[in-house]
Amino acid sequence: MSDSQGSPGNFNFGIRRLVLVDSAGFCYVEIPVDNHGLILGPGNLGKSSLLNSLRLFLLPENNFKNSRKKFAFRNASAGSFYSNEESYQHYFPSQFSFLIMEAENPAGVHCQILYRDSASQLSYARAFVPVGYDQLRPLFWNGDGEDGIGQAVPELSFSRLSEALKKFSKDTRLVNEPAKLKKMLYSSELMNADAVRYSVLPLGESDERRVQSLRTLILLLFEMKADDQAMSNAVASIIEADKKFADDAFDFNIDEFLNRHDQLKQQQIQLNQIEKERSRFEKLQRDYQAYQTLLRSQHDFAAFRDGVTHALQDIGARRKAAVEAFNEQNETLRHVLQALKKLEQDASGLKGEIRSADRRIKQAEQNQKDGDLLVSQYGEMTLQEIEDIQKEELDSKKGHLAALKSAAQAEIRLEQIQKKKQELERKLESLRERESKQHWQLQNQLDEATAAPLRAVDPRLVMASPGQDLDADSKAAIEAFARLFVPNDKGFDWFDAEYSAQPARQTDFAEQRRHIEGELHGLEKERAELADTANQEHDRPRLIERTEKEIRAIEKDLDTLSRYPAAATTLRDATEEKQAAEEQLARLEEQARLEQEKQDAVQQKAAKARAEKERIEERERELAGLSKSVGTVEHRFPHLRELAAEKPIDIETVSTASFDDLETQLNDLEKRRRAILDCLNQFVFLGIHSDSDGELQKDSPTSSVIRETFKSLSDLFAGMAERWNVLEQQVGIHNETVASYRQALKSNHEHIARFEAQLNRELDGVRINDLVEIRVDIHTDPKFRNLVEEANNIDPYGNQLQSDAFYDRLRVFVADFFGEGGSKRLTMDKVITGISYRTRKENATSLDKKGQSTSTTALINLELVYRLLKRVLYPGVQLSFPMVLDELASVDISQMPSLLERLRKQGFNLFSAATHSASAEVIYLIGRHLEVGQMRTAKPYSPQRTLVFWGGAEGFTNGEAMSHWADQTQASLMEQVDE
C-alpha cells in the first residue's frame, strides 16, 4: 500500500504479492510487491521475468498470439522482442505452471490465478478467488521439510485446484473471455462489492479508448526507460481517450477520401462521355424499334418449329394408324382370298367326289347287271354255290387245258375226270336222298325268328335236314343259339360282327339235278375230246385257244360274282355320297358367293386405305423436309434453339409457303440484329455499357441480352438528367466531407495544443531534483501541420469538385507521410511523432532543451505517467502499484531518495533487479532486497526448474516493527548457498 496521504474518502487499490509456480525458470517464487524492493541474483537468472509477469495479470488477454503488441516482452540482450511461442513457454512451460497475484481493493483481498489452458494453442485462463494467498499456499507449495525450503505438491493440477478454490468461496470465478476480464479488472462500481471484488485498475469510463490508453500506460510502468516513441504513443492514446465523444476520435482515412474524389471525378468524365454519344443512341433506338417489330418472327418460328414437331408426331401416329388400317385390310383380304381358295379347293374336291361317285355308281350298276344275268343262269342257287361251281369249272378247264398241252397231263386229267364222274354220281344219289327228306329241313321245323339269324349267317344252315323231326333238346339248343343274335335294321349283330338278313327260299332239287347231270355230260365231252385229240394233233391249238377263252370267261364270271354282293351296297353308298357331296357343294358355292361379295368390299376398303396411307406418307415427307429446313435455320441462328414458343401453330397450317415467309422475316431480323449488336459493342468499347460477362461477344447473343442491354442504355440516357443531379448532390456531400475533414484536422491540431497546455499547467510548481520548471512539448509531424494549413486555404462549399491541384498536393502528402504500402489512415499516433522536455534550473532565466540524466528523465517520465494515469482512472482512487525500473545501477545514487519519495507519494512501489554487484548504498536506500538465486529444492515440479524463494525480504527497518513490512519466517534460510 502507498503512504496514506490521500483523504479518508480515497479508494485504495494495490498489488500485494506475486507468486510463480514452475514458471519463468523458477520452481517456486513468492515475492511481496507492496513496498519498494530490489531483486538480487546472478545475471540471466530470470529476475526481470518475475516483474514483467505482472503484465499478464493487468491486461485482459487470454493467449500469447501477437504477444509483441499485447505484452511487449523485450529481449534486452538481443535488442528485440520475444516470439509468441518463446513467451508462452517461458511462463507456462508445463501443466504445473501457475502464476498468482494477490491484490486488495475496497471489497477486500483476492487472488488472481493464471494457468495453462489446453483449449487452444498459446492460451491461458484465469481463476479469481476472494481470499489471501496465505490460505492458498499449501495448494501450490509444501513448506514442510528438514531443510525448510519445501517441495512440490505432487498432486497439483487445475482440476484439483478448481475444486479447492470453489470450497474456499462461492464467489470463485473461472473466466477466459476478454470482454468479461475487462469488466472485472477495470470495474469502477465502488459501491457494489460484487462488481468491484476483483477490480485492479478502476477506469473512469469503460469504453475501448480508455482500455487502450490504460494498456499503453501499463506497459510504460514496466519500462520507465521507454523510448520517446513509446511515450508519444501513450500521449496520443490519452489524447484520444480524453475526448468527450467517441465520434470525435481522430481517424482520417485519406485513401477512402481520395478514392471517393476519384470516383466522383470518374463519374463526371463518364457522364460527359455518355452525353457525346446521344446521337448514336438515337440511331440505335430507331433500329431497335424496327428490330422489335421483326422480333415476333422468332416466336413465330418457334411456334412453327413446335408445330412441325407436333405435326410430325401427329402424322407419324396417323401414318402408323393408316399403315395398321392398310395392313388390317390387306390381312382381311388375305383371309378372304384364303377362304375363297379353300372354298374352291373344297368345291373342287367335292366335284371330284361327285365324279368319283358317278363312276362308282356306273360301275356298281354294271356289276349288278352282270351279276343278275349270271345269277339268273343258276336259278335258286346261292352265290357261294355258284362260286363253288365256277371255281370247280375253272379248275376243270385249267386241268383240261393242261391236258391239251401235255400228254402226261392228259392221262392225269382223264383219271381226274373219271374220279369226278364218280363223285358227281354220288352227289346225284345224295341229292335224290335229300329231296326225299326235304320236308324235315330246319327252316320247315323252326319258326322264322329262330331261322332268320341262322339264314343270315349261312342259308345252308336252315336248309339242312336231320331226316326226322327235331327233338325238344336239339330244338331248344338251336333256339338258344339263335337268341344270341341281336336284330338290327339290316340284319343281325353277332357281338361285334354284323350279318345281313337273307330271304327265305326252298332248295331247287330239279335244278341241282340238271346241273349235276350237265356236269356229267361236260366231263364226258371233255374225256371224248382228250381221247380224240390224241389222234388229231392238228386240232389241238384250236382246242387250247377255245379252252383258254373258256377259262377267261369263267374268271370273268368269278370276278363278276365277287363284285356282285357289294354292287348294291356300293351303288347305295355312292348314290348317298354323291347326294351329300352335291348338297355340300351347293352350300360351298353359296358361301363362295358371299365370300366373293366380301372380297369385293374388302378390296374397296384396302384401296381406300392404300390411298390414305400414300397421302399421309406424302405429307410426312413434306413435314420431314420442313423439319430439315427448320434445323438448317437453327444452325444458322443457334439462339433460336433455346427459344420457347408460347403455343405451337395448328398442325394444319404447317406448310412450305408459311416457312418461306418466316425465313424471309428471320433473314431481315438478323440483318437488323447485326447492326444493333455492332452499335451495342461500340457502346461497350467506349465504356458506356459494361459487358463483364462477355454476353455481347458471343457468336450469337440472345434476344434477352440485346433487350436488356438496350433497356440499360435507354435507362442510362433517360436518367442522365437525374444522374447529373445526383452527381451534383454527391459532390456537395463530398465537399461537406472535405469541410468536416478540414475541421477535424484543425480541431485535432488545436486539441493537441490544448492537451499540451493542460499538461504544462499541471506541471506548474513540480520540482524534480534541481529542476524548478518542467515543460512538455508534444511534437507533431510537420507534414501534418502543412496539411492543416493547406486545408484552411480551400473553400469546401459548393457543388463543384475541388481543384485537381488540391488533391494532387494531398496525394503528395500521403506519399511522403505514409510511404509505400500499408494503411493510409491518419490517426493520432501517426500525427504525434514524439515527446520532449524543456527544463529550467533554479536561478536560470530560460528553459533548456538539452537532455537530462537517465534518473532525471525517469522521474519526469514517472510524473507524466502519473498524471496521464489520473486522467484514465476513476477519480479518488489511490494506488499501491509496482513500477518496474530494470537495471537500477544506471540511476544516479544521489537522486535515489527523491525518486523513492516521489514514487511513494504517487502510489508506486519501485521494483528493480540487479546482480550482486549492486552497491550496498543502493540496497540500503531501497530498504528491502530479495535474494532469489540462493535456494534450490530437491523435489521440484520439473528438473529443469529447481530455484525456490519464499518467506519474505531482507532489509533495514529504520526502527519499524518487523511485521510492518516483512515475513521473516525463513530468515535463517537466507544464507548464501553454493549453486
Side-chain angles (χ1 to χ4, degrees):
M1 293 288 292
S2 63
D3 293 342
S4 57
Q5 297 177 9
S7 63
N10 285 349
F11 299 100
N12 297 319
F13 287 78
I15 299 175
R16 301 174 56 178
R17 190 168 355 207
L18 180 64
V19 181
L20 277 72
V21 180
D22 200 34
S23 174
F26 292 89
C27 175
Y28 178 82
V29 61
E30 180 182 323
I31 300 175
V33 292
D34 54 352
N35 273 296
H36 299 320
L38 178 63
I39 299 177
L40 295 176
N44 200 28
L45 186 67
K47 304 183 295 297
S48 299
S49 297
L50 293 176
L51 301 176
N52 287 331
S53 65
L54 280 170
R55 308 182 196 190
L56 301 175
F57 295 98
L58 301 178
L59 297 174
E61 304 295 343
N62 60 5
N63 61 64
F64 278 74
K65 296 175 182 177
N66 197 15
S67 64
R68 174 179 177 177
K69 181 178 179 181
K70 292 177 180 177
F71 308 116
F73 291 130
R74 190 187 298 271
N75 185 348
S77 61
S80 61
F81 293 91
Y82 287 107
S83 68
N84 299 342
E85 185 68 26
E86 288 172 337
S87 300
Y88 184 72
Q89 291 299 331
H90 184 67
Y91 286 108
F92 295 99
S94 75
Q95 61 179 339
F96 304 108
S97 300
F98 292 88
L99 288 80
I100 304 99
M101 180 186 76
E102 183 185 55
E104 64 178 349
N105 61 28
V109 177
H110 72 270
C111 285
Q112 183 183 154
I113 304 170
L114 310 186
Y115 58 92
R116 184 174 183 142
D117 185 10
S118 59
S120 61
Q121 189 178 15
L122 304 178
S123 63
Y124 64 96
R126 308 182 192 224
F128 295 86
V129 57
V131 298
Y133 181 72
D134 290 336
Q135 292 179 259
L136 301 180
R137 185 182 294 111
L139 299 175
F140 300 99
W141 191 248
N142 183 356
D144 298 334
E146 296 180 359
D147 57 2
I149 295 176
Q151 60 187 3
V153 178
E155 63 272 16
L156 177 61
S157 67
F158 174 70
S159 59
R160 295 175 63 89
L161 176 64
S162 62
E163 292 177 4
L165 295 179
K166 291 175 182 177
K167 291 178 181 179
F168 277 119
S169 173
K170 62 182 179 61
D171 293 322
T172 296
R173 297 287 183 269
L174 302 179
V175 183
N176 196 32
E177 296 84 357
K180 290 184 179 179
L181 289 173
K182 291 176 186 177
K183 188 174 181 180
M184 293 174 66
L185 295 175
Y186 307 142
S187 175
S188 58
E189 298 181 42
L190 303 181
M191 296 297 104
N192 185 341
D194 290 335
V196 81
R197 186 180 308 280
Y198 299 118
S199 179
V200 180
L201 292 168
L203 293 179
E205 297 179 17
S206 59
D207 60 88
E208 186 60 34
R209 293 181 302 157
R210 298 276 179 177
V211 173
Q212 187 60 35
S213 297
L214 181 62
R215 177 191 298 274
T216 307
L217 292 173
I218 287 173
L219 295 179
L220 277 176
L221 287 175
F222 289 89
E223 292 195 59
M224 288 311 295
K225 295 194 307 177
D227 55 18
D228 183 54
Q229 184 60 46
M231 187 62 73
S232 67
N233 289 341
V235 170
S237 177
I238 299 300
I239 290 175
E240 283 295 330
D242 200 44
K243 292 178 181 178
K244 187 174 183 180
F245 301 105
D247 290 344
D248 293 337
F250 186 41
D251 187 2
F252 183 14
N253 191 331
I254 300 179
D255 266 350
E256 183 179 304
F257 180 76
L258 289 172
N259 290 339
R260 183 55 179 162
H261 168 262
D262 292 342
Q263 291 172 4
L264 294 174
K265 185 71 174 179
Q266 188 60 36
Q267 287 182 29
Q268 189 179 59
I269 294 171
Q270 186 180 21
L271 291 181
N272 286 327
Q273 185 180 9
I274 292 171
E275 287 293 349
K276 287 173 59 179
E277 299 299 325
R278 185 173 290 276
S279 59
R280 187 191 301 273
F281 172 73
E282 290 171 351
K283 180 182 180 300
L284 172 65
Q285 197 170 29
R286 292 190 297 272
D287 289 341
Y288 187 77
Q289 289 173 352
Y291 170 78
Q292 283 295 105
T293 302
L294 289 169
L295 195 59
R296 183 62 198 174
S297 62
Q298 290 185 332
H299 295 279
D300 292 343
F301 173 81
F304 183 85
R305 176 194 61 206
D306 293 352
V308 170
T309 301
H310 290 179
L312 279 171
Q313 293 172 351
D314 176 72
I315 204 69
R318 289 170 60 190
R319 176 181 52 76
K320 182 178 179 181
V323 169
E324 289 176 353
F326 174 70
N327 291 338
E328 182 180 357
Q329 293 300 326
N330 277 346
E331 184 67 17
T332 303
L333 182 60
R334 186 177 67 83
H335 285 301
V336 170
L337 291 173
Q338 287 178 348
L340 278 172
K341 184 176 180 180
K342 187 174 185 308
L343 287 173
E344 290 175 357
Q345 291 173 349
D346 292 345
S348 177
L350 287 173
K351 290 176 180 178
E353 290 179 8
I354 292 172
R355 290 192 297 272
S356 176
D358 284 336
R359 289 193 297 271
R360 289 168 61 200
I361 289 171
K362 290 179 181 179
Q363 183 66 41
E365 288 176 344
Q366 184 63 42
N367 290 340
Q368 190 172 26
K369 180 180 178 181
D370 293 342
D372 288 341
L373 180 61
L374 178 62
V375 169
S376 65
Q377 295 176 6
Y378 291 91
E380 295 297 330
M381 294 181 68
T382 64
L383 294 177
Q384 185 62 45
E385 291 173 342
I386 297 171
E387 183 181 2
D388 291 343
I389 292 172
Q390 287 291 330
K391 288 182 178 179
E392 187 176 345
E393 182 67 20
L394 179 62
D395 290 340
S396 176
K397 291 299 182 182
K398 287 182 178 179
H400 182 66
L401 178 61
L404 289 174
K405 292 180 179 181
S406 170
Q409 288 296 325
E411 290 294 331
I412 294 171
R413 180 57 186 165
L414 286 173
E415 289 180 3
Q416 290 175 347
I417 290 173
Q418 185 61 34
K419 290 180 180 178
K420 184 65 174 176
K421 285 176 65 178
Q422 292 175 357
E423 183 179 351
L424 287 174
E425 287 173 352
R426 285 194 299 272
K427 280 187 178 182
L428 184 60
E429 182 64 28
S430 176
L431 180 63
R432 292 190 188 99
E433 184 179 355
R434 283 179 57 212
E435 184 176 10
S436 64
K437 297 179 181 179
Q438 65 177 338
H439 65 280
W440 283 307
Q441 286 182 344
L442 290 181
Q443 64 181 353
N444 293 328
Q445 295 189 66
L446 299 174
D447 57 21
E448 183 61 24
T450 301
L454 298 177
R455 188 182 300 115
V457 175
D458 191 340
R460 291 177 296 179
L461 291 175
V462 296
M463 294 176 70
S465 174
Q468 61 182 8
D469 292 332
L470 288 172
D471 58 50
D473 291 338
S474 297
K475 187 175 183 180
I478 293 172
E479 289 175 348
F481 174 72
R483 285 196 297 273
L484 294 176
F485 289 88
V486 179
N488 59 34
D489 56 348
K490 294 183 180 180
F492 299 92
D493 291 330
W494 171 255
F495 299 111
D496 61 346
E498 182 181 347
Y499 294 94
S500 301
Q502 299 291 335
R505 58 193 179 101
Q506 295 295 325
T507 303
D508 190 351
F509 290 102
E511 180 61 34
Q512 291 183 17
R513 190 167 50 252
R514 284 192 300 272
H515 180 71
I516 293 173
E517 291 175 348
E519 286 187 29
L520 285 172
H521 175 73
L523 287 173
E524 181 59 29
K525 183 179 180 181
E526 181 182 357
R527 186 195 64 76
E529 284 182 359
L530 288 176
D532 292 341
T533 304
N535 298 322
Q536 299 178 6
E537 287 294 329
H538 63 279
D539 202 27
R540 188 182 299 274
R542 180 185 61 78
L543 293 175
I544 290 172
E545 182 180 358
R546 186 199 67 189
T547 303
E548 288 177 346
K549 286 182 179 180
E550 290 174 349
I551 289 173
R552 287 195 292 271
I554 294 170
E555 287 177 345
K556 181 178 180 184
D557 288 344
L558 281 172
D559 182 61
T560 299
L561 190 63
S562 66
R563 291 196 298 269
Y564 178 70
T569 303
T570 302
L571 180 60
R572 183 180 68 252
D573 292 344
T575 302
E576 290 176 355
E577 289 176 4
K578 178 181 178 183
Q579 183 179 357
E582 287 175 344
E583 292 174 356
Q584 189 173 357
L585 180 59
R587 290 195 297 273
L588 286 178
E589 288 175 348
E590 177 61 22
Q591 189 174 353
R593 183 186 65 79
L594 296 175
E595 287 295 326
Q596 185 63 48
E597 292 177 356
K598 185 176 180 180
Q599 177 187 354
D600 295 340
V602 171
Q603 283 179 335
Q604 290 179 1
K605 291 181 179 179
K608 185 177 180 181
R610 178 187 295 277
E612 178 66 11
K613 180 175 77 72
E614 291 174 351
R615 185 186 66 80
I616 289 174
E617 288 174 345
E618 178 61 29
R619 173 63 171 168
E620 188 174 33
R621 285 192 290 271
E622 178 188 6
L623 291 174
L626 286 174
S627 178
K628 185 176 180 181
S629 299
V630 165
T632 302
V633 170
E634 287 183 332
H635 181 72
R636 288 179 56 207
F637 310 124
H639 65 281
L640 293 176
R641 293 194 185 102
E642 307 300 326
L643 195 61
E646 298 174 0
K647 180 183 178 183
I649 66 172
D650 191 275
I651 59 177
E652 299 302 327
T653 61
V654 175
S655 67
T656 303
S658 58
F659 174 76
D660 292 341
D661 291 341
L662 271 175
E663 189 174 25
T664 300
Q665 294 178 30
L666 289 172
N667 289 333
D668 293 343
L669 176 66
E670 183 62 17
K671 292 178 182 177
R672 292 282 185 179
R673 185 169 172 273
R674 288 297 175 188
I676 292 171
L677 283 174
D678 290 343
C679 191
L680 294 179
N681 281 314
Q682 188 63 30
F683 278 114
V684 172
F685 175 75
L686 294 172
I688 294 175
H689 177 74
S690 174
D691 184 28
S692 56
D693 295 334
E695 292 293 335
L696 291 173
Q697 305 304 317
K698 292 182 178 179
D699 292 339
S700 182
T702 63
S703 298
S704 61
V705 170
I706 296 174
R707 180 175 62 254
E708 290 170 4
T709 305
F710 177 77
K711 184 177 182 303
S712 175
L713 289 171
S714 297
D715 294 343
L716 177 67
F717 280 94
M720 283 300 292
E722 180 64 24
R723 290 186 67 180
W724 279 114
N725 291 334
V726 170
L727 179 60
E728 289 180 1
Q729 294 173 8
Q730 291 176 341
V731 169
I733 294 171
H734 179 67
N735 286 340
E736 291 177 4
T737 305
V738 173
S740 65
Y741 283 150
R742 185 185 71 165
Q743 182 60 34
L745 291 172
K746 181 180 179 181
S747 61
N748 278 279
H749 185 263
E750 293 172 352
H751 190 79
I752 294 170
R754 286 195 302 272
F755 188 83
E756 181 185 75
Q758 289 174 3
L759 282 179
N760 285 323
R761 283 196 299 271
E762 292 179 9
L763 290 174
D764 284 344
V766 173
R767 301 171 65 94
I768 296 177
N769 296 334
D770 59 346
L771 302 177
V772 297
E773 184 178 0
I774 301 170
R775 288 291 179 265
V776 177
D777 290 332
I778 300 175
H779 301 288
T780 59
D781 194 297
K783 301 182 187 67
F784 171 72
R785 295 194 298 272
N786 293 336
L787 180 64
V788 173
E789 294 175 3
E790 182 72 28
N792 287 331
N793 294 329
I794 64 171
D795 179 11
Y797 304 103
N799 293 329
Q800 298 297 321
L801 288 171
Q802 297 296 321
S803 66
D804 291 340
F806 168 72
Y807 290 100
D808 290 341
R809 288 192 294 273
L810 186 57
R811 288 187 178 88
V812 171
F813 165 77
V814 169
D816 292 343
F817 190 84
F818 295 102
E820 295 295 330
S823 172
K824 303 299 188 293
R825 303 180 74 91
L826 187 59
T827 54
M828 191 64 73
D829 60 327
K830 291 185 176 69
V831 170
I832 296 177
T833 58
I835 300 292
S836 66
Y837 303 122
R838 289 178 295 136
T839 59
R840 183 175 65 83
K841 295 182 178 180
E842 194 170 4
N843 299 323
T845 59
S846 61
L847 293 170
D848 190 0
K849 292 184 179 181
K850 73 176 183 177
Q852 302 296 320
S853 64
T854 302
S855 56
T856 301
T857 301
L859 288 173
I860 296 174
N861 285 343
L862 176 63
E863 189 68 30
L864 184 59
V865 170
Y866 169 68
R867 298 190 181 279
L868 293 176
L869 192 59
K870 283 177 63 177
R871 290 174 174 269
V872 175
L873 296 179
Y874 191 82
V877 169
Q878 187 69 28
L879 294 179
S880 176
F881 221 73
M883 192 275 290
V884 177
L885 185 61
D886 204 3
E887 301 300 336
L888 190 63
S890 62
V891 178
D892 188 347
I893 195 168
S894 64
Q895 297 178 353
M896 186 64 70
S898 60
L899 173 64
L900 295 174
E901 182 62 23
R902 184 172 295 278
L903 287 173
R904 186 178 298 279
K905 288 181 180 180
Q906 293 176 346
F908 295 113
N909 301 313
L910 175 66
F911 245 84
S912 185
T915 63
H916 291 101
S917 62
S919 68
E921 187 177 3
V922 170
I923 297 174
Y924 172 77
L925 290 173
I926 292 176
R928 295 194 313 173
H929 63 276
L930 301 94
E931 290 274 359
V932 296
Q934 301 300 315
M935 295 186 294
R936 294 184 183 273
T937 179
K939 296 181 178 181
Y941 287 105
S942 302
Q944 298 89 344
R945 293 172 289 279
T946 58
L947 284 174
V948 176
F949 178 85
W950 68 287
E954 295 180 275
F956 303 93
T957 65
N958 291 325
E960 299 164 333
M962 183 72 69
S963 60
H964 177 70
W965 59 276
D967 178 5
Q968 293 293 329
T969 56
Q970 288 191 341
S972 63
L973 300 176
M974 298 300 289
E975 299 175 1
Q976 184 168 343
V977 298
D978 186 9
E979 295 189 19

